């Protein structure tokens, strides 16, 4: 008789089917999370409502740092061209937030025009008022790097007397707004200027919930000697440890990110390796963009749920008629106890709760009687989204990744870093001798031959057992020696002749010098007499 009830209940549990991840995120947010946010004034306490542009926009990189740490120079280095509104100097020169984005024509869009454009993800910034909007512009230019990512340049964080001069808007709050929406936050430090000012400390704390997006760059490292660089790196890690206050070590990239000659070139190889690592991290952003948006929506949903529990708990404890003001003060003062009660009742992790002091300050201006009581249906919709719909979107993320070609950032500084003689590691390790007519192994072959003839070769070859006795003296692990054997035994007969033995020893030397081994033997390392076998 009531079988239709069961059918309807099953239909609720089935996750919705979406065509694309972006469409799925938009629909889930509007139908399941937004009603909860609106009901409990989430947007007044935490973050403005999301719009379509927030789900559709390209990955964004936010650059943050004290003045003259090279933020604008870093962007110019990536793009390999100037952008409109760019100013570089030793004193605080960038006084605006500049969103550097792709456009068919070069030009600048002022902040007030920018926040009414529905295609740009900046509409909610109008809440920060004219003082901020007069200091916010979008620089558009046709650049291949900007086809994949956008970059946000920020005003230099002030120190000393300058930081006491008010900017006219909440600088830390603006950065927190951007931090929620960007894919990567790069904190830049100058190797000569490691003092973390009060404003910078406040900014880093504002980024507290986004540690997974933060990367640190120690810039201008070519201006100090190796010994000092080691001390500066240690001092930076110590300073960051005090502010970030997490047991994990933040990844710090060391280098000199501009196109000028290195002042002290001793650490060139280190800078090249660090630059390649940072570039790989930035290049992966388009590929992981959908996953990041999904992750951010989950974080937002968890915070919105906790916020709903807090608001409804305050509403429940408020008197209907008399003593409202006194009760409001009492509830705000005991908010920590309310947190603990909610934590116990609903099995919520303490890390999901908003900052206690900030929440208490925000509640002072609110009328607690106008808060909504707990609405189980709204919470059930969000729980259903987290339990079922998100899992379906995760599958779709993987499908989208496999169906489209590998999307990476191209152009600017990202081109020319992998190919040609100036690619990282070219002519080193297994690549040594790549441009030489002579076989590179022949330089040390006489020494290897001496060892070869002590291993009792039969018909010009040594057995695997005899070769192994010599090769294990390198103290490399068996897995690595096995890989070297596979590369060196070119004719695959389980034995090594003098050329193959010399090649094996050359590869051992490459590994002992700290280089990686190739997956397949490069053509220039094949012994001259074996090159016909390879063909």
């Amino acid at each position: 008789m009531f079988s239709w009830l069961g059918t309807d209940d099953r239909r609720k549990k089935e996750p919705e089917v979406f065509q694309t991840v972006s469409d799925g995120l938009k629909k889930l947010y509007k139908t399941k999370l937004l009603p909860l946010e609106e009901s409990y004034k989430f947007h007044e306490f935490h973050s403005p409502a999301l719009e379509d542009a927030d789900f559709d926009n390209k990955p964004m990189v936010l650059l943050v740092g004290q003045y003259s740490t090279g933020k604008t120079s870093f962007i110019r280095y990536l793009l390999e061209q100037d952008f409109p509104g760019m100013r570089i100097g030793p004193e605080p020169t960038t006084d605006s937030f500049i969103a550097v984005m792709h456009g068919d024509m070069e030009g600048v869009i002022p902040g007030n025009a920018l926040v009414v454009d529905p295609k740009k993800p900046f509409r909610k910034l109008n809440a920060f008022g004219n003082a901020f909007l007069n200091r916010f512009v979008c620089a558009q230019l046709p650049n291949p790097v900007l086809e994949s990512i956008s970059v946000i340049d920020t005003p230099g964080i002030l120190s000393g007397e300058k930081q006491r001069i008010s900017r006219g808007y909440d600088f830390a709050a603006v950065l927190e707004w951007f931090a929620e929406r960007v894919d990567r936050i790069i904190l830049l430090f100058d190797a000569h200027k490691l003092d973390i000012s009060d404003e910078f400390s406040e900014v880093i704390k504002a980024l507290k919930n986004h540690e997974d997006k933060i990367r640190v760059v120690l810039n201008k490292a070519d201006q100090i000697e190796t010994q000092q660089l080691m001390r500066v790196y240690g001092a930076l890690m110590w300073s960051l440890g005090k502010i970030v206050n997490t047991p994990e070590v933040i990844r710090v990239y060391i280098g000199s990110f501009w196109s000028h000659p290195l002042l002290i070139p001793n650490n060139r190889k280190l800078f090249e390796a660090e630059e390649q690592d940072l570039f790989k991290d930035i290049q992966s952003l388009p590929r992981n963009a959908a996953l990041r948006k999904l992750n951010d929506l989950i974080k937002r949903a968890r915070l919105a749920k906790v916020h709903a529990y807090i608001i409804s708990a305050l509403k429940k404890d408020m008197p209907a008629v008399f003593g409202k003001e006194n009760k409001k003060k009492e509830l705000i003062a005991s908010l920590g106890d309310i947190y603990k009660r909610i934590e116990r009742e609903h099995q919520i992790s303490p890390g999901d709760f908003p900052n206690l002091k900030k929440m208490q300050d925000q509640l002072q201006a609110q009328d607690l009687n106008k808060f909504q009581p707990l609405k189980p249906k709204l919470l059930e919709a969000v729980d259903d989204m987290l339990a079922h719909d998100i899992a379906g979107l995760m599958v779709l993320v993987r499908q989208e990744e496999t169906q489209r070609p590998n999307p990476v950032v191209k152009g600017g500084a990202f081109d020319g870093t992998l190919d040609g003689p100036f690619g990282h590691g070219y002519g080193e390790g297994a690549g040594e001798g790549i441009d030489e007519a002579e076989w590179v192994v022949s330089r040390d072959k006489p020494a290897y031959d001496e060892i070869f003839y002590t291993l009792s070769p039969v018909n010009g070859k040594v057995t695997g057992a005899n070769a192994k006795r010599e090769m294990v003296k390198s103290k490399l692990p068996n897995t690595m020696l096995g890989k070297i054997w596979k590369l060196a035994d070119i004719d695959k007969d389980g034995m090594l002749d003098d050329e193959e033995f010399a090649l094996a020893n050359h590869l051992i030397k490459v590994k002992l010098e700290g280089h990686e081994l190739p997956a397949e033997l490069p053509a220039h390392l094949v012994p001259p007499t074996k090159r016909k076998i390879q063909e």
Side-chain angles (χ1 to χ4, degrees):
M1 171 179 178
F2 297 109
S3 60
W4 59 272
L5 284 172
T7 309
D8 189 54
D9 193 51
R10 279 197 301 276
R11 194 181 296 123
K12 275 185 188 174
K13 297 296 177 202
E14 286 175 12
E16 295 194 51
V17 178
F18 305 109
Q19 297 302 312
T20 67
V21 176
S22 182
D23 289 343
L25 289 171
K26 283 184 219 171
K27 189 169 181 188
L28 286 179
Y29 176 70
K30 286 175 184 172
T31 58
K32 298 195 172 180
L33 184 53
L34 186 58
L36 181 78
E37 291 182 356
E38 288 175 337
S39 185
Y40 295 101
K41 300 189 174 187
F42 180 85
H43 307 137
E44 291 179 34
F45 284 86
H46 300 289
S47 175
L50 298 176
E51 298 193 330
D52 286 356
D54 291 307
F55 297 104
D56 295 332
N57 69 307
K58 293 168 189 165
M60 292 193 288
V61 178
L62 178 70
L63 295 181
V64 181
Q66 293 180 221
Y67 70 88
S68 190
T69 50
K71 296 185 297 297
T72 308
S73 297
F74 184 88
I75 298 174
R76 201 210 169 285
Y77 185 70
L78 292 186
L79 304 183
E80 292 188 343
Q81 75 175 92
D82 293 347
F83 57 87
M86 183 186 91
R87 287 167 62 214
I88 295 172
E91 270 298 293
T93 45
T94 304
D95 62 348
S96 303
F97 281 80
I98 303 177
V100 187
M101 307 182 86
H102 188 268
D104 296 330
M105 301 281 290
E106 266 196 38
V108 173
I109 305 171
N112 282 292
L114 201 54
V115 294
V116 295
D117 185 350
K119 292 181 181 176
K120 296 278 193 296
F122 305 123
R123 279 162 57 97
K124 298 296 180 181
L125 281 168
N126 60 6
F128 293 102
N130 270 333
F132 166 71
L133 294 178
N134 292 336
R135 291 276 178 267
F136 180 44
V137 296
C138 174
Q140 289 190 314
L141 66 157
N143 184 287
V145 173
L146 300 174
E147 289 175 10
S148 308
I149 59 170
S150 301
V151 189
I152 313 292
D153 193 9
T154 61
I157 292 169
L158 305 175
S159 59
E161 189 64 34
K162 297 185 190 77
Q163 68 187 357
R164 295 186 191 138
I165 303 165
S166 173
R167 294 179 187 268
Y169 60 91
D170 191 338
F171 182 67
V174 172
L175 281 177
E176 193 173 356
W177 187 94
F178 275 110
E180 280 182 18
R181 287 156 178 79
V182 301
D183 296 70
R184 189 65 75 236
I185 303 164
I186 297 180
L187 291 180
L188 277 102
F189 288 86
D190 184 335
H192 286 101
K193 195 165 53 186
L194 287 186
D195 60 308
I196 298 178
S197 67
D198 293 345
E199 189 176 43
F200 200 4
S201 180
E202 190 184 333
V203 163
I204 295 173
K205 284 172 183 169
L207 307 177
K208 177 76 179 150
N209 297 323
H210 308 285
E211 289 98 339
D212 55 321
K213 298 178 182 179
I214 295 175
R215 303 291 183 271
V216 177
V217 170
L218 180 58
N219 202 11
K220 305 186 183 181
D222 65 316
Q223 298 178 14
I224 51 178
E225 296 281 357
T226 306
Q227 191 177 8
Q228 280 77 28
L229 181 59
M230 185 179 71
R231 292 195 177 116
V232 165
Y233 178 80
L236 175 60
M237 296 303 286
W238 183 77
S239 300
L240 283 171
K242 285 203 304 180
I243 294 172
V244 177
N245 201 23
T246 59
E248 297 83 11
V249 177
I250 287 184
R251 175 67 163 98
V252 177
Y253 298 90
I254 303 169
S256 180
F257 295 91
W258 66 346
S259 52
H260 292 251
L262 298 176
L263 288 179
I264 301 171
N266 301 358
N267 298 307
R268 174 187 285 275
K269 285 176 92 170
L270 169 67
F271 298 158
E272 286 174 0
E274 291 285 280
E275 182 179 288
Q276 285 301 316
D277 284 356
L278 180 59
F279 280 7
K280 279 179 192 167
D281 187 67
I282 295 172
Q283 283 183 300
S284 70
L285 293 180
R287 189 171 64 247
N288 300 324
L291 203 55
R292 194 275 303 168
K293 286 169 186 167
L294 189 65
N295 184 55
D296 281 359
L297 189 70
I298 295 167
K299 277 204 288 190
R300 189 180 177 100
R302 289 165 70 96
L303 179 59
K305 272 183 63 183
V306 172
H307 179 75
Y309 285 130
I310 295 166
I311 295 298
S312 58
L314 291 167
K315 168 69 177 175
K316 187 179 176 184
D317 290 345
M318 280 295 286
V321 185
F322 300 111
K324 291 180 183 179
E325 276 306 309
N326 289 336
K327 187 63 177 175
K328 175 182 172 180
K329 288 176 187 173
E330 184 188 317
L331 286 172
I332 291 173
S334 62
L335 189 60
D337 295 330
I338 294 171
Y339 275 17
K340 285 175 186 169
R341 193 174 79 212
I342 294 168
E343 189 185 320
R344 282 195 308 273
E345 283 178 14
H346 302 284
Q347 287 81 49
I348 296 169
S349 165
D352 285 352
F353 284 83
N355 179 276
L356 179 63
K357 178 74 174 68
K358 187 178 175 185
M359 192 72 178
Q360 286 172 322
D361 292 343
Q362 289 171 320
L363 285 169
Q364 300 288 353
Q366 296 285 338
D367 182 352
L368 272 55
N369 278 91
K370 291 183 178 176
F371 284 176
Q372 295 291 328
L374 199 64
K375 297 179 180 176
K377 279 193 175 180
L378 291 177
L379 287 160
E380 280 169 19
V382 175
D383 285 333
D384 183 55
M385 177 186 89
L386 293 171
H388 301 99
D389 300 311
I390 293 293
L393 277 181
M394 285 291 288
V395 175
L396 198 55
V397 166
R398 298 299 175 209
Q399 285 176 358
E400 281 191 4
E401 281 179 1
T402 53
Q403 284 168 4
R404 65 185 173 198
N406 191 19
V408 293
V409 183
K410 293 178 180 174
F414 298 100
D415 281 356
T417 55
L418 300 177
D419 305 317
F422 296 100
H424 178 61
Y426 187 90
E428 301 168 9
E432 187 184 355
I434 192 167
D435 295 325
E436 296 173 20
E438 187 185 2
W439 187 40
V440 67
V441 181
S442 61
R443 294 177 198 166
D444 299 315
K445 190 169 181 295
Y448 299 144
D449 284 348
E450 283 183 29
I451 302 167
F452 178 79
Y453 288 110
T454 64
L455 299 177
S456 311
V458 178
N459 297 327
K461 295 193 174 189
V462 294
T463 62
N466 286 348
K468 179 183 177 181
R469 272 201 304 276
E470 182 60 33
M471 289 169 71
V472 293
K473 290 179 184 176
S474 67
K475 297 184 181 175
L476 286 172
N478 281 349
T479 49
M480 190 55 62
L481 291 172
K483 186 175 181 182
I484 288 169
W485 177 274
K486 279 177 74 175
L487 290 169
D489 184 14
I490 290 162
D491 52 17
K492 309 297 177 198
D493 63 353
M495 303 175 84
L496 300 181
D497 62 20
D498 61 321
E499 287 185 327
E500 290 172 328
F501 182 77
L503 174 60
N505 278 277
H506 177 77
L507 293 171
I508 286 171
K509 181 180 143 200
V510 165
K511 190 63 195 167
L512 291 175
E513 286 175 351
H515 301 286
E516 290 304 315
L517 293 177
E520 293 180 9
L521 193 68
H524 72 279
L525 284 184
V526 178
T529 60
K530 301 284 193 301
R531 287 179 186 174
K532 285 183 181 175
I533 297 173
Q534 290 288 85
E535 288 166 14

